[in-house]
Amino acid sequence: IEVEMSEHWRSILDLPKDYLFALDDNFLRLGATSLQIANLLSLIRRLYYLSIDYNAFVNDPTFGFLIRAIHRFSKKESGRND
């Protein structure tokens, strides 16, 4: 998930292909616009069938927030609780 999400962030933000994200990297501080946030959340909805609230993401617009949300949802969907 981290590798795939990194590719999407780089593409949306037009960052170099070798840019490595840390969990505390902030989508807004990296230059994202509100339209790019909407595009990212729409992409997550299509790829993972997961709807992330726009305001929740704006309150914590980090790489880690999205990764944790996707992992939690994936575990829930698979029935795992570890």
Side-chain angles (χ1 to χ4, degrees), residues 8-54:
H8 296 306
W9 273 45
R10 280 192 292 268
S11 175
I12 290 170
L13 295 170
D14 197 30
L15 295 171
K17 292 193 183 297
D18 60 350
Y19 187 91
L20 299 176
F21 292 98
L23 290 177
D24 63 347
D25 273 343
N26 185 306
F27 201 62
L28 295 173
R29 288 192 191 128
L30 290 169
T33 64
S34 58
L35 181 57
Q36 287 170 313
I37 292 171
N39 288 339
L40 176 66
L41 298 180
S42 176
L43 177 70
I44 290 169
R45 191 170 28 259
R46 284 193 318 271
L47 291 175
Y48 301 103
Y49 305 103
L50 170 62
S51 181
I52 295 177
D53 180 70
Y54 182 92

